[in-house]
Amino acid sequence: MIRLSRTFGVASLALSLTVAAHALAEAQAQNAPTPAGPRVTVTKAVRGELVETVAVTGTLVARDEVLIGSEIDGFRLVEILAEEGDRIEKGQVLARLSRETLDAQLAQNDAAIAKTEAAIAQARNQIATAEASLRQSRQALERTSELKKSGFASQAVLDQQTNAERADAGRLAAAQDWLKVSQADRASMEAHRRELLVRLGRTEVKAPAAGLISRRAAKLGAVASMSAEPMFRLIANGQIELEGEVPELRIGKVQAGQAAVVTSGATSVPGTVRLVSPEVDRVTRQGKVRIAIPDPAGQRIGSFARGLVETRRVHAVSVPQSAVLYGDQGPFVQVVEKDRIVSTPVKLGIASEQRVEVLSGLKEDAVYVIKAGAFLRDGDAVSPVEPGKPQADAGQRMQVR
């Protein structure tokens, strides 16, 4: 009996200890903190300057390209005085053609002019002689007419004097006509001389404008031809532009006079929109834009270049584009309030590089998820972590990418 009582006591004690342990575990479970949600990187919404840009891609070209070639045919190129990359002035001689043939023609022309001058002098002398003879003939005819009236001269003598007067008048007219012919010959020779001088001047190939030589095709010994390839290509005044294309949906934002930055290779230079084409290509749906580069030092035509045109500048609240998600109701940002996700619809404005303007829906200083994730839902518990702060448990952190 005593033995049974002892066994019963031990069992009761064990049962009491089990109940106490279970109660203690429940109390600890109730008092334990709620497990933290996944960690997300957050930041505050702040105001800042936002610049909207439109990208222009294309090629560097000369604003005005001048083609320089020979203006006469059939003369050999004997001297080249300019090379690619040379800066030249308006009127500067770039090349010379042979001129021996033209010099010989000019000498022949000089002789022809001298001959016409002599012919003119001879014609004037003949005119003077004919005028003197005509005066004498007229005087003799007048005297004979008077004598005929008095009966002291026969009709035959009068007729003889009349014919002599007419012959002298004809010789005077012939001399005057010869003078006119000689003067016409001289005018023709002088016109030919001016033509030869023009052709001689064109044996010197000159620059019609100042600028930079971009290409030289001239070869020593080649025979010049007006229909051949230009001897030189000149960038007028050294002005270079970016000729690029912009999609039709964006070209409406680009206007002449807007500032731009043009990048070619590793070099970036400022520029200004000079021209926006009124036409959009019906095949590519691209519009032409030209950006002037005031200081094109180091830029080379034909190079690929990219321009960023500043179309608008605002001071507003903005968020990274990675913070914006799109749903059935439009764009929204995942705001963190009391360590829980609140999907907040927003109205977006201009986009600048990796950021986008928030016109409404997001208050300044609101905390939002920098890299939003579609698997974060409204009401989800999270552990917000600001960039740059130490993180105790990297295994629980979740950055939505």
Side-chain angles (χ1 to χ4, degrees):
M1 185 68 179
I2 296 174
R3 187 174 184 181
L4 180 60
S5 177
R6 288 179 178 177
T7 302
F8 179 76
V10 171
S12 298
L13 180 59
L15 179 60
S16 299
L17 292 174
T18 301
V19 172
H22 182 70
L24 180 60
E26 287 184 351
Q28 290 178 345
Q30 292 177 355
N31 295 328
T34 303
R39 294 187 177 182
V40 293
T41 304
V42 299
T43 190
K44 290 184 177 181
V46 295
R47 288 186 175 272
E49 191 173 70
L50 209 62
V51 179
E52 181 184 39
T53 58
V54 173
V56 180
T57 56
T59 305
L60 295 180
V61 298
R63 175 172 178 174
D64 294 305
E65 186 177 41
V66 182
L67 305 182
I68 306 173
S70 173
E71 296 183 76
I72 52 176
D73 290 326
F75 295 91
R76 194 171 301 279
L77 184 61
V78 296
E79 191 175 7
I80 297 176
L81 302 174
E83 293 293 340
E84 294 177 358
D86 289 351
R87 284 196 170 272
I88 59 175
E89 300 297 328
K90 182 178 180 179
Q92 182 174 332
V93 179
L94 308 181
R96 288 191 175 94
L97 305 177
S98 61
R99 52 179 290 168
E100 290 84 359
T101 303
L102 292 176
D103 285 336
Q105 292 178 359
L106 186 61
Q108 185 180 4
N109 179 263
D110 289 340
I113 290 177
K115 184 178 179 179
T116 57
E117 292 287 354
I120 289 173
Q122 184 179 6
R124 285 173 176 166
N125 291 332
Q126 290 177 351
I127 289 173
T129 302
E131 287 176 344
S133 298
L134 181 60
R135 283 195 297 271
Q136 290 178 355
S137 298
R138 285 176 177 173
Q139 292 172 355
L141 179 60
E142 290 176 358
R143 288 194 298 269
T144 303
S145 296
E146 293 295 330
L147 292 173
K148 176 66 173 59
K149 292 177 181 179
S150 303
F152 293 101
S154 64
Q155 183 64 38
V157 174
L158 179 61
D159 292 342
Q160 183 180 3
Q161 292 297 327
T162 300
N163 293 334
E165 189 269 341
R166 291 176 179 174
D168 288 340
R171 283 191 288 271
L172 176 61
Q176 290 174 338
D177 290 341
W178 176 247
L179 176 62
K180 292 178 181 179
V181 170
S182 299
Q183 289 175 335
D185 288 341
R186 182 180 64 180
S188 176
M189 291 299 103
E190 289 176 346
H192 187 216
R193 177 183 176 79
R194 289 193 295 270
E195 179 187 357
L196 288 174
L197 291 176
V198 170
R199 290 167 62 83
L200 277 170
R202 290 177 177 176
T203 59
E204 292 186 338
V205 181
K206 298 180 180 180
L212 179 71
I213 294 179
S214 61
R215 185 184 303 176
R216 174 179 75 85
K219 305 290 184 183
L220 280 176
V223 177
S225 173
M226 291 188 290
S227 60
E229 181 184 3
M231 294 182 177
F232 302 91
R233 290 179 182 268
L234 177 70
I235 303 173
N237 300 315
Q239 295 179 333
I240 294 178
E241 294 183 336
L242 167 60
E243 183 182 55
E245 295 183 333
V246 178
E248 63 177 340
L249 296 178
R250 302 280 287 169
I251 196 170
K253 296 179 178 292
V254 183
Q255 298 179 0
Q258 290 175 334
V261 175
V262 177
T263 301
S264 177
T267 306
S268 295
V269 293
T272 305
V273 177
R274 184 181 71 85
L275 178 66
V276 181
S277 173
E279 181 183 6
V280 172
D281 189 280
R282 65 180 63 187
V283 177
T284 63
R285 297 300 177 188
Q286 304 277 329
K288 294 285 187 181
V289 174
R290 280 198 171 226
I291 300 176
I293 304 175
D295 185 13
Q299 306 298 317
R300 301 180 183 277
I301 63 173
S303 301
F304 172 81
R306 182 175 185 269
L308 286 178
V309 180
E310 181 181 322
T311 58
R312 187 180 173 194
R313 185 182 293 265
V314 297
H315 190 80
V317 175
S318 65
V319 297
Q321 294 187 11
S322 60
V324 181
L325 292 176
Y326 293 86
D328 296 337
Q329 304 300 320
F332 63 92
V333 174
Q334 293 178 330
V335 176
V336 177
E337 294 181 357
K338 298 180 180 180
D339 294 346
R340 292 191 178 275
I341 294 293
V342 178
S343 296
T344 304
V346 293
K347 183 179 179 181
L348 303 179
I350 66 173
S352 174
E353 296 182 352
Q354 300 300 319
R355 300 188 70 83
V356 61
E357 177 190 10
V358 179
L359 298 174
S360 62
L362 185 66
K363 297 180 180 180
E364 191 173 355
D365 293 331
V367 178
Y368 63 90
V369 180
I370 295 178
K371 295 184 178 180
F375 50 84
L376 289 175
R377 306 294 182 181
D378 270 345
D380 286 355
V382 293
S383 296
V385 177
E386 294 184 13
K389 289 192 175 182
Q391 302 166 20
D393 186 2
Q396 290 184 359
R397 181 173 180 233
M398 178 180 66
Q399 282 194 358
V400 182
R401 299 181 183 272

